[in-house]
Amino acid sequence: MRIDDALVWAEYTLVNSDSARLDAQVLLAFVLGKETIYLMTWPERDLSEQQKAQFEALIEKRVNGHPVAHLTGEREFWSLPLKVNNSTLIPRPDTEVLVEQALSEIQSHFTGQTSILDLGTGTGAVILALATELPMAKCVGVDYSHDAVQLATENRDSLGVNNVSILQSNWFEGVTGKFDVIVSNPPYIDPTDKHLKQGDVRFEPLSALVANEHGLADIRHISEQAKQYLVEGGCLLFEHGSDQGLAVREILQDNAFVDIRTIKDYSQNDRVTLGYFK
Ligand SMILES: C[S@@+](CC[C@H](N)C(=O)[O-])C[C@H]1O[C@@H](n2cnc3c(N)ncnc32)[C@H](O)[C@@H]1O
């Protein structure tokens, strides 16, 4: 089978995916061990029998809903190639807003060596992005899941990032010291949310997605504890659901944070809320 014929077949087979063409290209490039540009450059090249069989098996899994990132084992975040698996969330583009905002707050409020804590680090996406932008910063990422800790550690090591410690902890329980900045993209989906039965999230662990109190329990818990782990003038930033901006601002107010603000994502939805401990 030729490359162009394989792509036409896969796109037709993935008719229920709203990203059929892209999915097919990413999976075929993965099978061939090439960049997607190779597919456009050499459409007439033939797949070997082994490549054809591997591609067909991946397309079948995609038809059954498996996320492309789980099939390739990789997802790019902040231009960093990250390994992913089913121990934690596949990093989402909207989470780059959390990184951008943390960098902006650090640039305007902190001097010298900044210390940053990432709660619920998962693949390490957020803390590795911050650490590569701020090579002098002292960074710590924690996750409750042993497998996620292992994954984040592998990502750190394969990217050669040397200013991040990764540790297993139930939120702050294993954390010592104080930080200038605490970032978190915690579980924030209501357990009854119908979106949990759709798309990629069906293949991601509920422990990475769901929190009680309409998704706000972990944000509340972290907000209540955070001041013991922030320096005076320190900043706490959360990613949250698009309908949770007001509730998260109220939680931060209840815990005496100041200069509280919500920032929108690229689709103009409330996505990140922050406050300062003064
Ligand atoms: C929404 S995912 C975010 C992953 C990653 N930071 C990202 O933005 O792609 C939430 C993460 O919080 C972790 N988590 C859930 N409960 C936790 C707890 N009690 N203590 C520490 N981490 C926890 C999950 O294992 C998961 O990796």
Side-chain angles (χ1 to χ4, degrees), residues 80-83 123-125 127-128 131-132 148-166:
L80 302 172
L82 297 176
K83 286 182 200 152
T123 55
I127 200 69
L128 292 171
T132 52
V149 167
Q150 193 178 338
L151 182 66
T153 305
E154 274 178 42
N155 279 324
R156 177 197 65 186
D157 294 345
S158 66
L159 292 168
V161 179
N162 57 18
N163 56 334
V164 179
S165 309
I166 309 283

Side-chain angles (χ1 to χ4, degrees), residues 188 193 214 216 240-248 269-271:
Y188 57 70
D193 192 317
H214 306 293
L216 293 167
H240 53 71
S242 56
D243 57 351
Q244 292 174 329
L246 176 61
V248 178
N269 295 311
D270 285 357
R271 186 58 61 197

Side-chain angles (χ1 to χ4, degrees), residues 77 87-92 95 98 118-126 142-145 148 169-172 184-188 205 207-209 218 239:
F77 179 84
S87 68
T88 186
L89 194 84
I90 301 164
R92 305 292 203 271
T95 302
L98 180 63
D118 175 23
L119 293 172
T121 198
T123 55
V126 173
V142 310
D143 206 284
Y144 187 62
S145 154
S169 171
N170 178 14
W171 298 135
F172 291 103
S184 185
N185 175 17
Y188 57 70
S207 55
L209 298 167
D218 289 318
E239 176 177 326

Side-chain angles (χ1 to χ4, degrees), residues 109-128:
H109 288 88
F110 299 92
T111 51
Q113 188 188 43
T114 315
S115 51
I116 310 169
L117 173 66
D118 175 23
L119 293 172
T121 198
T123 55
V126 173
I127 200 69
L128 292 171

